[in-house]
Amino acid sequence: MAAKVSEGLEKLQLDQSKKSNGVSNGTTTGGIEAEPDESDDDKDDDGAAADAGVAGAAKKKKKRKPKKKKTAGGVPKAQSDPPRVLLSNLFPNGQYPEGEIVDYRNENSYRTTNEEKRHLDRMNIDFLNDYRQGAEIHRQVRQWAQKNIKPGQTLTEIAEGIEDGVRALTGHNGLEEGDNIKGGIGFPTGLNLNHIAAHYSPNAGNKTVLQYGDVMKVDFGVHLNGWIVDSAWTLTFDPVYDNLLAAVKDGTNTGVKEAGIDVRMSDIGAAIQEAMESYEVELNGQTYPVKCIRNLNGHDIVQHSIHGGKSVPIVKGGDQTKMEEGEVFAIETFGSTGKGYVRDDLETSHYAKKPDAPNVSLRVSSARTLLNVINKNFGTLPFCRRYLDRLGQDKYLLGLNNLVSSGIVEAYPPLVDIKGSYTAQFEHTILLRPTVKEVISRGDDY
């Protein structure tokens, strides 16, 4: 097509040259035959037409200018900043990065090559893909957060930045009824400062601002089809806390290393305590031993429920319960410069409907309305008050408290050590696959 336009243009230019010498060839633009010229006026008209034809041909040629080829479907090839690219667009084949693969040891070492176990592993491919997708979303969002969280930001700003990233990358905005149950946020973003160890997320109107000297535990979850990736790290800006962070990270990595099929919980707890409590930290000229927070534990994770029925202690004890094939665990450890023991305090933000909630008659109408909202938007997944605000709920506190007192919803108040102390946390999710242990949330950062 472009070649034909070019040829027509050459003919028109030749005709114009001949007409300027008083010669007419009886053709017009594009080589179509025309009647012989009868007068000078006709010649002038023909000249004007030819001029127009030249301009038109040139204009047409410009229109035919080849367009730059776009990438396939215009799909981005890398994550944006802030993260907003749907993760499945970055992995169009549906295969997501695997976590850290660890072979089983001792009497379970046969599992790596056993054909029956390998067959069982292959049967779990959908479960694995959901978990690996969730883990990659967690890595991409947290790595953005690690680079962008700075002193001077409000906790609300930080929490919403993380949550917006999770919603965008999972493709579940959570505003349509039932959407958050399919995928998205696994539980509310915990931003726990200093002596606050867990379960603190800003409620509406919270004005708390992150300071340079703060020790902040960042704990958030991602889920696809109810399979929750639970992972956390501790963020500091002042290097005086480095030993505290190193102690807790060592504790978590020790727990991950010791965990496995048929391993007793008490053995894992003893190993974690030995590792973590070998550290001390110096603050303002005073040396503090790092203590395990003995009444905080890791836990198993079941579909649509962040806490299953098993706990993973972080101190030695007598729990003889064993880990089993196919289970999922959150190995999380907490260290403190305080008493190493937490209690409930401050305003509650975290809630979750109990999996075994009783079927009771609710006399408070706002409680009945709110329970319907919880069932349709969260099920048994944890939520916070900001998430109810986001769904357009208001004046719900009376109903929420009634659901708690009726035993239908569990409240999770913040857990704190003594004021003036500092606490740290690291956490990973592990899958006890039939053939290997997969540390699904492992990344280059921790």
Side-chain angles (χ1 to χ4, degrees), residues 160-265:
E160 290 180 348
I162 290 171
E163 291 159 359
D164 287 347
V166 170
R167 292 185 181 111
L169 270 60
T170 57
H172 293 283
N173 194 39
L175 290 175
E176 294 183 7
E177 196 173 273
D179 188 43
N180 190 67
I181 295 177
K182 297 175 184 176
I185 294 172
F187 55 84
T189 302
L191 300 175
N192 306 285
L193 297 180
N194 305 325
H195 70 295
I196 305 171
H199 297 166
Y200 186 92
S201 193
N203 288 324
N206 188 298
K207 304 296 184 184
T208 305
V209 174
L210 181 65
Q211 305 295 325
Y212 174 80
D214 285 336
V215 177
M216 183 168 72
K217 283 69 64 187
V218 184
D219 189 356
F220 73 95
V222 180
H223 88 93
L224 277 304
N225 295 314
W227 297 114
I228 306 169
V229 176
D230 184 0
S231 188
W233 79 98
T234 300
L235 181 67
T236 60
F237 305 100
D238 192 333
V240 298
Y241 304 111
D242 285 355
N243 254 24
L244 173 61
L245 272 61
V248 181
K249 186 182 292 186
D250 190 1
T252 296
N253 285 334
T254 298
V256 168
K257 179 182 177 182
E258 295 297 320
I261 296 172
D262 297 330
V263 176
R264 288 182 173 86
M265 302 297 184

Side-chain angles (χ1 to χ4, degrees), residues 304-361:
H304 291 111
S305 185
I306 188 62
H307 291 155
K310 292 184 177 180
S311 294
V312 185
I314 64 174
V315 293
K316 60 184 177 182
D319 188 354
Q320 299 299 302
T321 306
K322 292 183 178 181
M323 291 182 167
E324 299 177 59
E325 177 184 311
E327 291 182 323
V328 179
F329 285 92
I331 304 297
E332 59 180 325
T333 70
F334 297 83
S336 176
T337 62
K339 289 186 174 180
Y341 188 88
V342 293
R343 57 184 175 80
D344 296 348
D345 195 14
L346 307 174
E347 184 180 56
T348 302
S349 58
H350 288 46
Y351 300 86
K353 183 188 173 187
K354 296 180 179 179
D356 57 350
N359 185 15
V360 298
S361 177

Side-chain angles (χ1 to χ4, degrees), residues 8-9 12 16 28-30 46-60:
L9 184 60
L12 287 168
Q16 285 297 99
T28 60
T29 303
D46 287 347
D51 288 341
V54 172
K59 188 174 182 181
K60 187 175 182 182

